[in-house]
């Protein structure tokens, strides 16, 4: 039923709606005959009614028992990610992703109250569980875990710039040493990876309370030093946090996790592997889809090596208005545009300028040699970044968009922490993963500074054990094996299903 309503709403022309939402003061007040305001009876809505309004053009959301109509609210400061919870309860993801006081912006969209008795899918145990993790968040606030240590981040920024300085100095002082050039390229790839973690922290506003400061730091570490667009990253990453490991309703819908939108190269479930059938005229898998899904475990690492090229391409397109990878991002860019249009463009152009200078050996190298240097930096960065966030979620539970569990269970069961082991000490893992070794805790509390994640880990692990929620950890080696095994299992299931339905490959 929900899928039907969503598809119907998606077919509507958004330009036919002149006003975003229908709530606010008009929902709770009215004019009397003498022109004065009087309180209206607050509308009451059932959960079934809320679930019908589940597309960007017709979006109702629930926050702490109140119902809000945010239809077509593309001016939402966080972008179109708000529509990932259209027709659903956003109480906990709102708390995770917003600064205190942000809920005041929602008043103008209020249309009424949710009837508690209509929420039949939650029993008392579930309600107690949700109260428990909300109380845990409040406890962490009181403990001061959301306060950042500016000296820690100053150290991380300076140490990372030291890697950059050493990497770009080698081609200048040793223009003819091939071994040192390869070392320099690998160092620059590592620098890019560490820039990713710093941009991630600043753009999650872990460091500064004033969000503009975090955005500007993100442009430095993202656009200037990595060549990634902040706007592109925010759209993609906010969507991922809202719905991790959720499959889209269909191959053309945008209600799933963009980070696992990897078809036709990789499929994380049998349903996703078969999702492109609806795009083909005969309703069958194409030869390309069959080839890639059958061999996806073998292609996983080569795809990671090329990941940075894709991210740079999408970033450049977004920053310069040349397109977007998803319908969600395209709609956001059409309505809002870039938050920092000049800074984003200038910083990305400056990135390519300094990269071109270094990759050419400051003008001393041939074009083929310069390309080789550039590709080593790019491929090593893509691999080092992707291996970490791939371990964070790949091979973990996946869900359908219409049957997702509550916020806590969704974040915990789709996420894997990374520990030391197989010769990798915990200190190395902590540096290498840039805080995402505590991926579970980060997903539950995105604004929590990196240096406090270890303390949060102890509290979260204990809470999960108390309530019987599965909590998974693995080291770099075992986690990678789990990812490859999962990909192979999906391939095997895909082949079996194909053999049942069609000819031998």
């Amino acid at each position: 039923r929900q899928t039907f309503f969503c598809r119907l709403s998606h077919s509507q022309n958004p330009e036919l709606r002149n006003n975003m939402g229908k709530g606010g003061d008009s929902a709770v007040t009215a004019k009397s005959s003498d022109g004065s305001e009087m309180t209206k009876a607050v509308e009451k809505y059932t959960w079934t009614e809320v679930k019908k309004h589940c597309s960007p053009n017709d979006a109702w959301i629930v926050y702490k028992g109140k119902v809000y109509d945010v239809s077509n609210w593309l001016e939402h400061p966080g972008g179109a990610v708000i529509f990932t919870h259209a027709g659903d309860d956003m109480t906990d993801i709102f708390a995770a992703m917003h600064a205190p006081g942000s809920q005041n912006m929602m008043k103008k969209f209020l249309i009424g109250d949710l009837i508690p008795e209509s929420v039949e899918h939650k029993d008392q145990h579930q309600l107690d569980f949700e109260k428990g993790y909300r109380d845990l968040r409040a406890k962490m606030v009181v403990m001061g875990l959301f306060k950042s240590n500016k000296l820690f981040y100053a150290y991380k920024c300076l140490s990372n710039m030291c890697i950059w300085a050493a990497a770009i100095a080698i081609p200048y002082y040793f223009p003819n040493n091939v071994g040192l050039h390869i070392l320099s390229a690998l160092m620059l790839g590592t620098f890019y990876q560490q820039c990713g973690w710093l941009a991630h922290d600043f753009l999650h506003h872990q460091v500064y309370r004033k969000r503009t400061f975090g955005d500007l730091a993100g442009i430095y570490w993202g656009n200037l030093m990595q060549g990634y667009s902040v706007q592109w990253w925010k759209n993609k990453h906010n969507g991922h946090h809202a719905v991790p490991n959720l499959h889209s309703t269909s191959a053309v819908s945008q209600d799933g996790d963009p980070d696992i939108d990897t078809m036709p190269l990789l499929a994380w479930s049998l349903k996703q592997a078969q999702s492109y059938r609806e795009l083909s005229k005969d309703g069958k898998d194409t030869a390309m889809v069959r080839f890639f899904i059958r061999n996806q475990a073998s292609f996983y690492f080569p795809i990671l090596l090329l990941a940075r090229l894709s991210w740079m391409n999408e970033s450049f397109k977004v920053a310069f208005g040349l397109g977007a990878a998803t319908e969600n991002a395209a709609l956001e860019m059409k309505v809002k545009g870039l938050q920092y249009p000049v800074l984003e463009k200038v910083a990305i152009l400056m990135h390519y300028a300094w990269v071109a200078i270094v990759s050419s050996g400051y003008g001393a190298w041939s074009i083929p040699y310069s390309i080789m240097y550039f590709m080593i930096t790019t491929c090593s960065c893509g691999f080092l970044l992707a291996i970490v966030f791939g371990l964070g979620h790949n091979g973990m539970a996946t869900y359908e968009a219409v049957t997702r569990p509550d916020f806590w269970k969704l974040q915990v069961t789709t996420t894997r922490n990374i520990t030391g082991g197989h010769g990798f000490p915990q200190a190395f893992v902590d540096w290498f993963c840039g805080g995402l070794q505590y991926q579970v805790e980060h997903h539950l509390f995105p604004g929590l500074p990196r240096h406090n994640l270890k303390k949060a880990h102890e509290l979260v692990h204990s809470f999960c054990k108390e309530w019987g929620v599965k909590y998974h950890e693995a080291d770099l080696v075992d986690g990678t094996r789990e990812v490859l095994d999962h990909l192979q299992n999906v391939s095997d299931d895909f082949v079996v299903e194909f053999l049942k339905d069609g000819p031998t490959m």
Side-chain angles (χ1 to χ4, degrees), residues 30-89:
K31 296 288 185 180
S32 65
S33 58
D34 62 1
S36 61
E37 289 189 350
M38 62 181 184
T39 302
K40 291 170 58 177
V42 178
E43 291 286 342
K44 304 286 186 179
Y45 298 101
T46 65
W47 182 250
T48 300
E49 178 63 25
V50 170
K51 297 293 285 183
K52 296 176 182 178
H53 304 271
C54 52
S55 74
N57 301 335
D58 183 16
W60 288 11
I61 54 178
V62 175
Y63 176 72
K64 292 187 176 181
K66 302 289 185 181
V67 182
Y68 300 84
D69 182 351
V70 295
S71 303
N72 287 328
W73 189 31
L74 289 159
E75 291 78 9
H76 170 238
V81 64
I82 191 171
F83 301 124
T84 61
H85 278 66
D88 212 330
D89 192 317

Side-chain angles (χ1 to χ4, degrees), residues 242-297:
V243 287
N245 277 20
L246 253 66
H247 290 312
S248 296
T249 304
S250 68
V252 295
S253 64
Q254 296 294 327
D255 53 358
D257 179 1
D259 278 8
I260 62 168
D261 183 15
T262 50
M263 282 290 289
L265 302 180
L266 299 171
W268 301 101
S269 71
L270 177 60
K271 181 174 181 178
Q272 187 183 22
Q274 298 171 339
S275 64
Y276 266 40
R277 292 178 180 179
E278 64 186 86
L279 299 180
S280 61
K281 294 181 180 179
D282 59 3
K284 296 180 180 179
D285 301 306
T286 64
M288 182 183 74
V289 168
R290 293 198 301 270
F291 173 75
F292 277 109
I293 301 306
R294 182 179 60 181
N295 298 287
Q296 62 179 3

Side-chain angles (χ1 to χ4, degrees), residues 84-151:
T84 61
H85 278 66
D88 212 330
D89 192 317
M90 67 158 192
T91 301
D92 296 297
I93 188 62
F94 186 94
M97 299 296 289
H98 292 79
S102 299
Q103 64 270 21
N104 293 329
M105 292 186 66
M106 299 298 298
K107 292 180 179 178
K108 60 184 177 181
F109 301 109
L110 176 65
I111 59 173
D113 292 340
L114 178 69
I115 301 173
E117 295 77 15
S118 69
V119 188
E120 299 176 350
H121 62 287
K122 293 184 180 182
D123 57 18
Q124 190 58 48
H125 177 80
Q126 177 64 27
L127 294 174
D128 291 343
F129 173 63
E130 292 180 4
K131 181 180 183 301
Y133 64 67
R134 290 166 189 169
D135 289 345
L136 177 60
R137 178 182 179 83
K139 177 182 177 181
M140 292 170 63
V141 171
V142 173
M143 292 173 63
L145 295 186
F146 287 87
K147 296 179 180 178
S148 66
N149 184 328
K150 303 301 189 293
L151 289 177

Side-chain angles (χ1 to χ4, degrees), residues 56 99 130 132 173 246 289 321 338 353 413-414 425:
E130 292 180 4
Y173 289 105
L246 253 66
V289 168
L338 293 173
T413 60
T414 59

